[in-house]
């Protein structure tokens, strides 16, 4: 997801479009990416490293890692 | 022919389309703001290229809800000519006025260059002055021009002769090398079942002047003008 | 949250020297508030005040009969182009942000320069960019970083330019070790306007309302000093300074809305919020107007919660403008900004007391004389190191490379190789005006609405500048003029982007001073004013400073579409001529760098009178309608220029350079200035020779265009041959293969 203080132009434009479509009271829309990974034998640390170094841009994005099984 | 060029917030090629249309004798063209609700009196409606709403969320996904789109739909249903160029094509797909969708170029980069296009069907108001198999030199400029439709839809479009332009080489061969973005079947432009709605990714308005890259765009507009003149006579 | 106390540490963290702080005290007659400290620190920073370079910049020639708005007066200079039309243009850098976040750094750089143009009342019509990176070859960490920076910057420029609908029509990209860690991103924009549309950034009219229009203010780009005083807790992590993100869609709306607003007569003054955001636009408009401006922070549209006045004042959120509206016409702003769905707010008024006054509701947090902030910043005359011109290259120390392999190797140097990978990502055709696409010597753009033909080029050979900054800078100007001449254009104005290292180091400051002098000489010689530009200093890392890079962008006009000339050969049988000397100067050449790994020797000599004569002669024969192609010799010399003229045509060339005592590599790859390769129909050869003979410039026939796609060059008793297809593949394939691996 874009970091909280970062401007998210796509989110802003989408929020305004939602208002024009009749949904009043939109306070914020933020748009990010969902990346689903299937991998064998990776440690949680490795996944965090990959998430930080490759999958996200740490300058402008935060990530959340969810291990499903 | 009286043409409306719709201007959405973020449209960039509206003035280009407007200027190109005015190079044809007898054509009137007006830029119409997206908040208008009527398009009565126009023989042709052009949805120009650009980045309506920044292409945010998905290309054309927000513009399809603009107030003017109700009038565009009404006009399309009534048989008025509707031409969607690049972003215009994307908006028509999002609005369901044309089947399928435009995905990100398979090379992932925005691509601006001249391409060859092969004319597949000349029995439409947009291609009548051209010859079947004719190769046109038209520029593309897009990051999301990769045409996709579900297999059943694709089959229908192909069988109904709704594919009007395919990316080809200079000799008219439709090859993978000639495909700049991964579009299924090298599809660059399709029309509706009723033939009066046409969406294409290349920019014909950019090739209406020898000084600016060629004249191969004029055929599409010329076909539209002749069709609307013929239809006026019939009315 | 209470403001921190003003301590010496806080002052230092704000980048103000003791003397500068003393000056603040004497201006205010008291201690500054925390907000005032922030405001002075940002307005008196090098970035905003040019305190280290302004004395030098005064040497530029900035006046002339066609100058409607001079350099330094407003956000961009304006030059008359006839029939009541004018152009506003400028180049600006965004180097340091691009090193941190290349995509957004480059994108916001483009956004910033576009605003500088439409704030003048001009409709932007095209962009150019000049980019420099470290080497992208090999697998070192640095090379990988450089590739990432290169890809990110190009993508960022494409994103912003394409979305806002402006074609990027020309540019340059260089790769050199000196830019590792310090990429350079210089963005140029040109706009068109009628004389009466010139808008100014002055707060005119006491009592006029001051409006803020455009995107909401967030914590974008806040200086590190802002956080010096805050404890960094987990909560405040969310408040950390944010990288500026550009929103080209918002800027497209802002551009259209502002031009619509300016077309009414409701605007008294307008200024974009760029560096130092709201602070800069407020004090500069007041200073220009000789008035004061009072604003209330609480009225500013904000996108983050709990922002302090300090943060709002120093924020560098993008896509915002300050508009001084004529009293009574506020409804016009409302109507237009609601149409375009943009935030707007009346945030203050123009006063008569010359102060920049900022309220936070009922509290006054800033009350500073506007002129002191905007114009009376400190000025420094730094020390320039003495300079010893480089010794001419000792040719005997340079082994003779075989041209058969040297030419392809030169063509595969990323600085020389095709940049199609770059400009194919830019929509270079939108606005249907681009008559000459990227890849030729200069871009040519037809402004439909004005019926005017413009040409533009951007150049700087930083190797020449490193070895002798004065000569390098002269050549940058001359090369731009030469490129314009090759497209059929006459120069009308120059904008410069001076990229240098830390000015406190005497050798760097010498480079700045010498470059300014070289540029000034060039501009005076070609009779073109400098209309404005940008200075970017401190481009250095522990490894050292960048090579001095005074980027020059030059704009020209073409009188008749029939004069538009491109660099590619047109037909087999056409005769090829060289205007200028064969040359022999190998010092500072790309041949020396790419083949022998050396950056040394004196740059080639530049003689302005000779150069001007050659350009005039070329334009003379172009106007006679007989020149089919024209391409100047630059990096890689004659062999590269001729090869480039064959690319994409299907033709080859048979060249005989005649008898010579010079080595083949010298003849083929020297970078002697003032040389242009042209081609004419065989039937026009006699006319060409007659015309050039009367113009008294050196010229000779060197060969002919062939239908066989082979390049063959004979020099002395040596003959070399290359397959054009093979050279073309090398030229076109270099950057894609480096970037797609």
């Amino acid at each position: 997801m874009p970091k909280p203080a970062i401007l998210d132009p796509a989110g802003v434009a989408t929020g305004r479009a939602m208002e024009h479509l009749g949904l009043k009271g939109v306070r914020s829309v933020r748009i990010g990416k969902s990346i689903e990974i299937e991998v064998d034998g990776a440690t949680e640390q490795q996944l965090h490293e990959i998430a930080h170094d490759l999958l996200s841009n740490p300058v402008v994005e935060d990530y959340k890692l969810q291990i499903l099984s | 022919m009286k043409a409306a060029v719709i201007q959405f917030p973020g449209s960039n090629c509206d003035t280009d389309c407007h200027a190109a249309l005015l190079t044809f004798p007898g054509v009137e063209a007006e830029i119409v703001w997206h908040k208008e609700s009527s398009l009565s009196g126009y023989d042709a409606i052009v949805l120009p290229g650009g980045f309506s709403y920044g292409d945010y969320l998905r290309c054309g996904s927000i513009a399809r809800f603009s107030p003017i789109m109700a009038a565009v739909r009404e006009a399309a249903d009534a048989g008025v000519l509707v031409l969607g160029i690049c972003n215009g094509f994307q908006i028509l797909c999002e609005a369901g006025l044309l089947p399928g969708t435009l995905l990100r170029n398979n090379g992932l980069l925005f691509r601006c260059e001249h391409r060859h296009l092969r004319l597949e069907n000349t029995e439409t108001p947009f291609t009548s002055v051209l010859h079947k198999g004719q190769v046109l030199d038209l520029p593309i400029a897009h990051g999301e021009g990769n045409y996709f439709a579900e297999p059943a839809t694709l089959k229908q479009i192909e069988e109904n002769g709704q594919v009007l332009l395919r990316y080809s080489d200079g000799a008219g061969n439709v090859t993978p090398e000639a495909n700049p973005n991964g579009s299924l079947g090298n599809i660059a432009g399709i029309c509706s079942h009723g033939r009066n709605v046409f969406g294409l990714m290349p920019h014909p308005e950019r090739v209406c002047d020898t000084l600016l890259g060629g004249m191969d765009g004029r055929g599409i507009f010329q076909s539209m003008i002749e069709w609307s003149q013929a239809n006026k006579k019939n009315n | 949250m209470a403001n921190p106390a003003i301590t010496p540490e806080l002052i230092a963290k704000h980048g103000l020297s003791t003397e500068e702080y003393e000056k603040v005290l004497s201006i205010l007659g008291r201690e500054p508030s925390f907000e005032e400290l922030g405001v002075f620190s940002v307005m008196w920073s090098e970035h905003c005040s040019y305190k280290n370079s302004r004395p030098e910049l005064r040497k530029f020639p900035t006046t002339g009969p066609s100058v409607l708005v001079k350099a330094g007066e407003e956000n961009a200079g304006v030059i008359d182009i006839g029939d009541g039309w004018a152009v506003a243009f400028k180049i600006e850098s965004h180097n340091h942000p691009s090193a941190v976040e290349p995509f957004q750094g480059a994108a916001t750089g483009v956004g910033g320069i576009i605003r500088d143009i439409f704030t003048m009342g001009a409709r932007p019509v095209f962009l150019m960019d000049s980019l420099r990176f470290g080497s992208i070859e090999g697998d070192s960490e640095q090379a990988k970083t450089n590739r990432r920076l290169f890809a990110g910057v190009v993508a960022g420029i494409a994103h912003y330019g394409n979305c806002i609908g402006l074609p990027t029509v020309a540019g340059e990209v260089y790769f050199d070790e000196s830019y590792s860690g310090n990429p350079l991103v210089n963005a140029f924009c040109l706009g068109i306007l009628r004389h009466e549309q010139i808008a100014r950034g002055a707060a005119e009219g006491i009592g006029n309302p001051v409006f803020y229009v455009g995107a909401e203010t967030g914590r974008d780009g806040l200086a590190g000093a802002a956080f010096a005083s805050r404890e960094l807790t987990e909560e405040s992590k969310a408040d950390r300074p944010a990288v500026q993100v550009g929103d080209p869609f918002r800027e497209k709306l802002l551009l259209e809305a502002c031009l619509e607003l300016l077309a009414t007569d409701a605007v008294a003054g307008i200024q974009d919020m760029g560096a130092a955001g709201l602070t800069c636009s407020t004090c500069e408009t007041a200073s220009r107007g000789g008035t004061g401006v009072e604003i209330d922070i609480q009225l500013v549209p904000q996108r983050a919660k709990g922002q302090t006045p300090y943060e709002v004042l120093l924020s560098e959120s993008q896509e915002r403008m300050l508009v001084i509206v004529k009293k009574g016409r506020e409804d016009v702003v409302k109507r237009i900004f609601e149409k375009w769905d943009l935030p707007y707010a009346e945030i203050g008024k123009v006063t008569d007391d010359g102060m920049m006054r900022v309220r936070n509701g009922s509290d006054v947090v800033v009350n500073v004389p506007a002129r002191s902030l905007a114009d009376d910043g400190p000025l420094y005359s730094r020390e320039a190191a003495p300079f010893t011109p480089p010794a001419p290259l000792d040719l005997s120390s340079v082994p003779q490379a075989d041209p058969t392999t040297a030419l392809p190797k030169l063509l595969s140097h990323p600085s020389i190789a095709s940049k199609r990978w770059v400009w194919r990502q830019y929509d270079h055709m939108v606005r249907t005006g681009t008559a000459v696409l990227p890849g030729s010597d200069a871009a040519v753009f037809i402004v439909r609405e004005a019926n005017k033909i413009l040409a533009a080029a951007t150049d700087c050979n930083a190797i020449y500048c490193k070895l002798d900054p004065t000569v390098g800078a002269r050549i940058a100007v001359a090369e731009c003029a030469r490129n314009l001449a090759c497209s059929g254009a006459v120069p009308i104005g120059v904008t410069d982007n001076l990229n240098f290292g830390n000015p406190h180091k005497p050798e760097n400051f010498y480079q700045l001073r010498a470059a300014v002098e070289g540029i000034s000489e060039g501009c005076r010689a070609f009779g073109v004013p400098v209309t404005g530009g940008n200075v970017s200093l401190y481009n250095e890392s522990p490894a050292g400073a960048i090579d001095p890079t005074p980027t020059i962008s030059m704009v020209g006009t073409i009188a008749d579409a029939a004069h538009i000339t491109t660099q590619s050969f047109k037909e087999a049988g056409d005769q090829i001529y060289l205007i200028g000397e064969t040359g022999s100067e190998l010092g500072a050449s790309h041949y020396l760098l790419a083949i022998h790994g050396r950056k040394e020797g004196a740059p080639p000599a530049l003689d302005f009178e000779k150069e001007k004569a050659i350009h005039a002669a070329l334009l003379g024969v172009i106007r006679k309608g007989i020149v089919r192609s024209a391409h100047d010799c630059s990096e890689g010399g004659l062999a590269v220029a001729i090869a480039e003229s064959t690319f994409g045509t299907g033709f080859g060339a048979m060249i005989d350079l005649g008898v010579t005592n010079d080595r083949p590599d010298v003849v083929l790859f020297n970078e002697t200035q003032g040389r242009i390769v042209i081609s004419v129909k065989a039937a026009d050869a006699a006319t060409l020779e007659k015309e050039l003979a009367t113009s008294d410039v050196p010229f000779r026939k060197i060969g002919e265009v062939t239908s066989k796609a082979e390049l063959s060059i004979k020099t002395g008793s040596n003959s070399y041959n290359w397959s054009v297809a093979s050279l073309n593949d090398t030229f076109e394939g270099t950057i894609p293969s480096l970037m797609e691996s």
Side-chain angles (χ1 to χ4, degrees):
Chain A
M1 290 298 294
K3 285 187 194 289
I6 294 281
L7 173 70
D8 177 15
V12 170
T14 305
R16 287 179 104 91
M18 287 160 69
E19 282 177 354
H20 286 136
L21 284 176
L23 196 68
K24 301 298 168 204
V26 175
R27 286 196 285 136
S28 164
V29 176
R30 300 193 56 84
I31 305 183
K33 279 187 214 143
S34 174
I35 304 179
E36 294 181 353
I37 305 168
E38 282 184 26
V39 61
D40 297 321
T43 66
E44 197 168 319
Q45 162 144 12
Q46 281 177 310
L47 290 171
H48 274 286
E49 271 169 27
I50 280 287
H52 179 274
D53 295 345
L54 178 70
L55 301 176
S56 70
N57 178 349
V59 179
V60 291
E61 291 174 317
D62 289 330
Y63 73 88
K64 211 180 332 210
L65 182 67
Q66 231 191 329
I67 308 211
L68 297 173
S69 60
Chain B
M1 178 174 85
K2 192 165 177 219
V5 178
I6 312 294
Q7 185 188 44
F8 297 96
S11 290
N12 291 321
C13 307
D14 43 337
T15 53
D16 296 347
C17 285
H18 183 253
L21 284 163
L22 292 181
T23 63
F24 292 86
V27 170
E28 282 172 62
E30 280 164 10
I31 295 187
V32 176
W33 183 235
H34 77 118
K35 284 187 185 161
E36 299 296 328
S37 50
S38 165
L39 285 168
S40 66
Y42 291 104
D43 310 304
I45 298 161
V46 179
L47 276 66
F51 281 67
S52 59
Y53 295 94
D55 273 4
Y56 294 140
L57 199 59
R58 295 179 312 281
C59 300
S61 60
I62 300 176
R64 65 159 286 211
F65 288 112
S66 272
I68 195 73
M69 288 305 291
V72 173
R73 183 180 303 276
E74 216 180 282
D77 290 343
V80 173
L81 295 183
V82 178
L83 175 68
I85 300 171
C86 199
N87 191 220
F89 184 11
Q90 292 160 341
I91 296 169
L92 290 172
C93 288
E94 282 280 338
L97 287 170
L98 284 174
T101 188
L102 284 320
L103 303 174
R104 192 158 176 201
N105 292 352
N106 62 353
L108 303 181
L109 297 178
F110 187 98
R111 220 158 146 159
C112 173
E113 57 187 0
H114 277 259
R115 300 303 299 195
H116 291 112
L117 288 311
R118 192 178 76 190
L119 225 300
E120 302 291 278
N121 182 348
T122 55
E123 285 164 47
T124 79
F126 302 94
T127 52
S128 56
V129 314
L130 302 162
H131 318 295
K132 195 161 147 81
Q134 181 172 356
V135 176
L136 299 175
D137 176 345
L138 303 176
I140 58 169
H142 58 247
E144 284 87 10
N146 180 352
Y147 183 77
F148 176 86
E150 296 281 309
T153 312
L154 192 62
K155 187 160 181 280
Q156 244 185 5
I157 298 171
E158 294 277 7
E159 284 172 2
N160 283 341
Q162 286 173 251
V163 176
L164 300 191
L165 287 173
R166 285 189 215 272
Y167 299 108
S168 73
D169 67 14
N173 301 309
V174 174
T175 64
E177 295 72 39
N179 188 331
N181 52 36
S183 282
L184 291 176
N186 280 33
I187 289 172
I190 60 167
C191 67
S192 59
H193 190 73
R195 304 281 192 262
N196 64 307
V197 181
F198 175 33
L200 74 164
M201 287 313 294
H203 287 262
E205 79 283 9
R206 293 183 180 185
V207 269
C208 287
D209 187 331
T210 40
L211 273 181
L212 298 171
M215 301 282 269
D216 278 9
R218 294 186 76 83
I220 291 170
F221 296 117
Q222 190 62 44
S223 303
M224 290 166 69
I225 292 165
E226 292 189 5
W227 182 91
S228 59
Q229 276 168 357
N231 269 35
K232 273 202 171 62
K233 289 198 183 107
N234 292 339
N235 282 347
Chain C
M1 199 201 76
N3 276 338
I6 312 281
T7 62
E9 291 76 37
L10 192 65
I11 294 164
K13 273 213 163 77
H14 274 82
L16 286 170
S17 69
T18 334
E19 297 76 30
E20 288 168 348
Y21 185 70
E22 292 297 316
K23 196 165 176 193
V24 171
L25 291 177
S26 77
I27 287 170
L28 296 180
R30 54 169 171 82
E31 242 194 25
S33 66
F34 180 53
E35 291 83 0
E36 285 168 339
L37 181 66
V39 154
F40 271 103
S41 90
V42 84
M43 288 307 297
W44 286 6
S45 68
E46 165 55 41
H47 183 50
C48 286
S49 70
Y50 288 179
K51 57 192 173 187
N52 289 297
S53 52
R54 252 177 27 184
E56 301 304 312
L57 301 179
R58 290 191 183 131
K59 299 176 186 171
F60 282 144
T62 57
T63 54
S66 60
V67 178
L68 298 173
V69 176
K70 240 170 57 157
E73 263 182 65
E74 299 283 341
N75 282 74
V78 181
I79 300 278
D80 171 44
I81 57 171
D83 300 318
W85 289 95
V87 286
F89 58 89
K90 191 171 159 195
I91 190 169
E92 238 178 33
S93 64
H94 227 218
N95 303 333
H96 298 102
S98 299
V100 171
E101 211 320 287
F103 184 96
Q104 291 299 343
T108 49
V110 172
I113 189 65
I114 292 171
R115 282 195 305 277
D116 273 335
I117 298 307
F118 71 79
T119 199
M120 296 305 298
R123 172 171 283 282
V125 291
F126 67 80
L127 305 168
M128 294 197 293
D129 56 67
S130 173
L131 312 175
R132 320 250 165 181
F133 305 94
S135 170
I136 54 170
E137 296 174 282
D139 275 312
S140 65
E141 281 312 303
Q142 188 61 66
K144 288 182 186 160
T145 300
N146 293 336
R147 286 195 286 271
R148 180 179 62 82
L149 291 175
F150 175 42
V153 161
V154 172
I157 294 171
H159 167 72
Y160 211 99
N162 295 346
C163 184
I164 201 173
L166 288 177
T168 302
V169 295
E172 48 172 14
V173 190
Y174 280 89
F175 301 90
D176 185 280
E177 272 323 294
S178 82
Y179 304 109
S180 272
N182 288 288
L184 298 186
V185 177
N186 296 167
F188 167 103
C189 180
L190 179 143
I192 186 106
L193 70 170
R194 304 275 313 156
H195 287 201
E196 57 273 15
Q197 289 174 317
I198 295 175
R200 298 201 175 247
E204 305 269 359
I206 316 291
N208 277 343
V210 171
F211 273 78
Y212 165 120
V213 300
E216 298 89 344
T217 298
R219 293 191 170 89
D220 308 75
L222 280 174
F227 290 83
S229 48
R230 295 177 93 180
E231 238 179 77
L232 286 177
T233 60
E234 268 313 296
E235 287 81 40
S236 67
K237 211 168 146 194
D239 300 337
R240 278 233 198 111
V243 164
Q244 297 124 303
V245 169
D247 185 347
F249 168 57
R250 265 286 172 75
E251 183 140 315
K252 165 74 177 176
L253 303 181
L254 187 65
L255 189 165
E256 298 299 339
C258 286
L259 290 180
E260 231 175 84
L261 182 62
L262 286 166
T264 68
D265 64 351
V267 175
I270 180 167
Q271 165 102 343
D272 84 301
M273 296 191 208
L278 186 55
T279 294
C280 184
S281 47
T282 304
C283 66
E284 279 190 359
T285 48
S287 178
R288 283 197 198 102
T291 52
V293 171
E294 177 177 310
I295 59 173
D296 183 350
I297 288 296
Q298 290 187 1
L299 300 174
V300 170
Q302 297 184 35
R303 75 161 197 267
K305 297 193 195 36
Q307 293 184 103
T308 63
Y310 182 100
E311 290 172 328
V312 175
L313 280 170
L314 267 53
S315 162
E316 294 193 352
S317 291
Q318 303 290 297
E319 293 101 24
R320 304 176 297 161
M321 308 287 281
L322 196 75
V323 187
I324 320 307
V325 175
K326 292 178 185 164
K327 196 158 177 62
R329 308 301 313 276
E330 294 87 338
D331 57 306
V332 178
V333 180
K334 179 172 144 77
R335 174 174 58 78
I336 291 174
F337 282 82
E338 280 179 9
K339 169 187 171 183
W340 289 98
D341 201 24
L342 285 167
Y344 67 94
E346 186 175 332
I347 62 167
K349 61 179 191 275
V350 178
T351 69
D352 62 358
D353 62 6
M355 305 296 280
M356 168 182 165
R357 187 161 40 255
V358 181
R359 293 183 180 281
N360 181 19
S362 48
D363 300 327
V364 173
V365 296
V366 171
N367 196 20
V368 171
R371 207 147 260 179
S372 308
L373 260 183
D375 297 330
D376 295 344
L379 280 180
Y380 298 110
S381 223
R382 298 286 174 206
E383 187 199 329
F387 176 72
T388 316
L393 180 71
D394 172 11
L395 194 58
S396 65
S397 73
V398 182
Q400 229 187 119
D402 179 4
T404 312
T405 46
L407 179 57
K409 191 148 186 229
L410 266 171
L411 291 171
S412 71
H413 188 284
S415 295
I416 294 179
S418 168
K419 307 301 184 301
R420 189 185 304 267
W421 183 91
V422 171
W423 46 261
R424 209 169 66 171
Q425 296 181 52
Y426 303 149
D427 185 347
H428 46 269
M429 301 178 200
V430 65
R431 299 202 67 78
T432 50
T434 314
V436 175
L437 300 184
S440 193
D441 277 328
V444 176
F445 191 89
I446 301 179
V447 186
R448 219 172 30 227
E449 49 266 48
N451 199 24
K452 294 282 175 196
I453 307 173
L454 299 171
T458 183
D459 282 299
C460 179
N461 182 318
I463 300 179
Y464 298 166
C465 296
K466 162 96 182 166
L467 293 166
D468 189 332
T470 314
V471 175
R474 288 180 192 144
I475 290 177
V477 176
E479 199 185 331
C480 273
R482 199 183 313 132
N483 282 331
L484 289 185
C486 285
S487 66
V490 169
I492 60 168
V494 159
T495 175
D496 64 288
N497 207 137
L498 305 178
N499 305 279
F500 295 89
N502 181 341
H504 295 261
K505 294 184 182 163
E507 62 274 16
N508 294 341
F509 192 74
Y510 169 76
Q511 292 169 343
L512 172 72
R513 167 169 291 167
V516 169
E517 280 168 8
I519 294 169
S520 303
E521 289 172 36
C523 289
R524 274 192 290 272
F526 288 101
V528 283
V530 172
T531 62
N534 181 262
V535 179
S536 168
L537 301 179
Y538 300 97
N539 292 291
E540 57 185 87
S541 61
I546 55 165
D547 282 349
T549 310
T551 306
I552 299 296
S553 293
M554 190 181 279
V555 176
T557 51
I558 300 179
D560 187 331
H563 301 162
I564 299 174
T565 309
T566 60
Q567 71 180 41
S568 303
F569 292 141
K570 298 299 182 296
E571 202 174 8
D574 284 354
Q575 304 293 294
I576 303 172
Y577 282 78
L578 173 65
I579 304 182
E581 316 277 0
T582 317
S584 60
E585 294 158 288
L586 217 53
S589 65
H590 261 74
Y591 164 74
L592 197 61
L593 180 73
I595 310 299
H596 301 285
R598 289 157 68 173
K599 213 188 249 189
E600 65 182 79
L606 185 77
D607 180 325
F608 285 123
E609 292 313 304
K610 277 191 185 152
E611 194 74 52
K612 278 164 62 177
I614 284 163
H615 301 181
L618 174 62
L619 284 169
V621 287
I622 283 177
R623 287 179 190 139
K624 283 240 153 7
I626 55 176
V627 175
R628 302 202 85 191
S629 73
H631 186 24
D632 82 317
C633 297
S634 57
E635 287 87 6
L638 192 54
V640 165
I642 296 170
E644 285 175 343
S645 303
T646 64
F647 292 158
T649 65
F651 304 124
M654 182 118 75
I655 305 289
D656 184 346
L657 297 173
V659 173
T660 177
N661 290 326
D662 286 325
R663 288 163 32 172
D665 59 347
V666 169
V667 174
L668 263 49
F669 306 121
N670 79 77
E671 292 182 7
T672 290
Q673 297 293 297
R675 299 181 303 153
I676 304 175
V677 175
I678 67 167
S679 64
V680 298
K681 281 197 171 117
D684 292 325
T687 314
L688 176 77
E689 296 191 10
K690 183 159 147 259
E691 289 299 319
L692 290 178
T694 65
S695 65
D696 203 31
V697 301
F699 74 93
R700 56 202 178 86
K701 180 159 120 169
I702 57 172
E704 103 171 12
V705 179
T706 60
S707 52
K708 185 164 176 222
E710 212 171 78
L711 173 62
S712 93
I713 303 184
K714 188 159 179 278
T715 166
S717 53
N718 297 292
S719 227
Y720 305 99
N721 296 284
W722 300 269
S723 137
V724 168
S726 167
L727 291 179
N728 200 357
D729 285 345
T730 303
F731 179 73
E732 289 290 346
T734 297
I735 292 188
S737 64
L738 288 170
M739 294 309 290
E740 274 142 36
S741 51

